[in-house]
Amino acid sequence: MESVMKHNGETGELMCYAPAGEEVLRTVEPDFEKAHSISNAVQAAYRKGRILGRLEMQRSIERHMDDLNA
């Protein structure tokens, strides 16, 4: 799976998804070249499993908290 970048040239908003469909970053970066570099860094981190691991840890914590509040 690859990450996906969406960049709005008018507002400078950058959204990165890794895997596609799962937002991992939303920021404002008006410079497209910098936005592309950020997207490449997100993709590299995803490939190494860092982002996915953090997201799974977050999901696990949220499930645990939901169980406590049930």
Side-chain angles (χ1 to χ4, degrees), residues 7-64:
H7 185 258
N8 183 324
E10 290 181 22
T11 65
E13 185 175 44
L14 167 68
M15 293 161 281
C16 294
Y17 302 86
E22 183 146 2
E23 184 177 312
V24 295
L25 174 69
R26 182 182 293 243
T27 188
V28 174
E29 178 50 68
D31 184 311
F32 180 79
E33 292 300 319
K34 288 181 182 177
H36 187 67
S37 295
I38 292 167
S39 178
N40 285 340
V42 168
Q43 185 169 339
Y46 171 70
R47 285 185 179 150
K48 292 178 182 177
R50 293 179 184 155
I51 291 174
L52 192 57
R54 289 182 187 142
L55 289 172
E56 185 54 40
M57 182 175 66
Q58 180 181 348
R59 284 188 205 111
S60 177
I61 291 168
E62 288 171 355
R63 282 192 300 267
H64 180 71

